């Protein structure tokens, strides 16, 4: 089952392979709820073409070592590869062995069967996905210190560091603390195919950059809590900011004049956080409707934002 915006996402689109693995299920238009009438996974060699999400594949990878024999999973045109590698890394730390290779836009994983997970002590890293919004805020107008981030993390959204290099944002990392300061932001081109969750924040960064920025990976946003690229375009337009979407690429002309007004997150936590960073740097008053949806991933977002001295009225 599911609730709220999750009910609109085609989360069952990748489930077809489960039928090959001895499972039977029913859902409507690839959306929740889904009902399983048979759910006994069988080992074997399986191939997935053009998966919609990495999350389903991570679930398969974690399940298959528990089967009675070896298996091979072949993923053609995988998305969010860093998250898959994070999954394999966590499995290995828990005593589960796999072998994998990546070549020709294909991930092949050999999974040894009849294994057991072992208890493990682990430190949970800080979340680069949440930190991105504060990084963008500091780059535009201020400075910030963020602790708890692993500079060597396998998290996909650590790619914000590559964007910062491209945009000439001033930052440093020392003894577990990321320091970001206000910068003259240069326009940038970036392919976010493996880290689509940071695209809303990147759009905001591009609005304050000199020149024209291009962000690829827009197609990955259609099946999120909302169709994020389109929602960002529509809501920014209410403030007089124009962005264009051409298939898989978002183009943003920087330093456009901004108006005040009322905008809506449409219940999407990352849209709400991105629009909040935009509003901080608007000379006019901006009201964000449905802003409390940030509780999905970052319940203290607005409290932390207030700690920076931001003028926020809820």
């Amino acid at each position: 089952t599911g609730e709220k915006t999750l009910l609109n996402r085609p989360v069952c689109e990748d489930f077809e392979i489960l039928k090959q693995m001895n499972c039977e299920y029913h859902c409507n238009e690839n959306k929740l709820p889904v009902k399983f009438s048979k759910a006994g996974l069988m080992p074997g060699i399986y191939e997935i073409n053009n998966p919609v999400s990495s999350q389903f594949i991570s679930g398969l990878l974690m399940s298959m070592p528990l089967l009675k024999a070896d298996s091979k999973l072949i993923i053609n045109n995988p998305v969010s590869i860093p998250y898959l590698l994070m999954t394999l890394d966590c499995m290995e730390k828990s005593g589960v062995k796999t072998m994998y290779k990546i070549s020709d836009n294909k991930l092949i994983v050999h999974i040894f069967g009849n294994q057991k997970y072992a208890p493990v002590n682990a430190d949970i890293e800080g979340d680069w996905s949440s930190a991105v919004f504060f990084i963008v805020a500091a780059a535009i107008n201020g400075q910030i210190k963020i602790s708890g981030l692993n500079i060597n993390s396998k998290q996909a959204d650590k790619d914000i560091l590559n964007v910062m290099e491209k945009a000439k944002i001033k930052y440093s990392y020392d003894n577990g603390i990321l320091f970001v300061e206000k910068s003259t932001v240069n326009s940038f081109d970036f392919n976010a195919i493996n880290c689509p969750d940071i695209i809303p924040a990147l759009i905001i960064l591009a609005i304050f950059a000199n020149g024209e920025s291009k962000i690829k990976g827009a197609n990955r946003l259609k099946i999120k809590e909302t169709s994020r690229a389109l929602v960002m375009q529509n809501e920014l337009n209410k403030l007089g900011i124009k962005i264009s979407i051409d298939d898989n690429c978002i183009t943003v002309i920087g330093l456009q004049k901004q108006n005040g007004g009322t905008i809506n997150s449409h219940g999407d936590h990352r849209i709400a956080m991105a629009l909040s960073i935009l509003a901080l740097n608007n000379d006019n008053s901006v009201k964000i409707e449905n802003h409390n949806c940030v509780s999905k991933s970052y319940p203290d977002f607005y409290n932390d934002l207030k700690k920076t001295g931001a003028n926020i009225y809820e």
Side-chain angles (χ1 to χ4, degrees), residues 62-93:
M62 289 187 283
S63 300
M64 294 173 81
L66 306 177
L67 306 183
K68 297 301 182 182
D70 296 354
S71 299
K72 180 193 290 186
L73 192 59
I74 303 166
I75 306 110
N76 296 310
N77 299 314
V79 294
S80 298
I81 292 176
Y83 288 116
L84 298 177
L85 300 184
M86 279 183 66
T87 297
L88 293 170
D89 182 61
C90 288
M91 291 165 61
E92 182 178 358
K93 289 177 179 176

Side-chain angles (χ1 to χ4, degrees), residues 144-149 172-179:
I144 201 165
K145 292 180 180 178
I146 306 174
S147 61
L149 296 174
S172 61
Y173 184 87
D174 182 55
N175 199 27
I177 296 177
L178 179 70
F179 179 74

Side-chain angles (χ1 to χ4, degrees), residues 212-270:
E212 178 182 281
S213 297
K214 292 186 177 294
I215 305 164
K216 296 180 180 177
N219 286 343
R220 296 289 318 280
L221 301 181
K222 293 178 180 179
I223 56 168
K224 298 294 183 178
E225 282 81 348
T226 61
S227 182
R228 283 180 177 159
L230 186 59
V231 167
M232 287 292 289
Q233 183 182 49
N234 290 340
E235 297 307 312
L236 291 173
N237 189 51
K238 294 176 183 177
L239 302 180
I241 302 169
K242 308 291 185 183
I243 69 172
S244 61
I245 306 170
D246 182 12
D247 188 29
N248 198 36
C249 184
I250 301 168
T251 302
V252 183
I253 306 298
L255 303 179
Q256 298 181 47
K257 181 182 178 181
Q258 300 178 37
N259 302 320
T262 299
I263 48 182
N264 197 316
S265 75
H266 294 259
D268 189 314
H269 56 138
R270 301 201 191 279

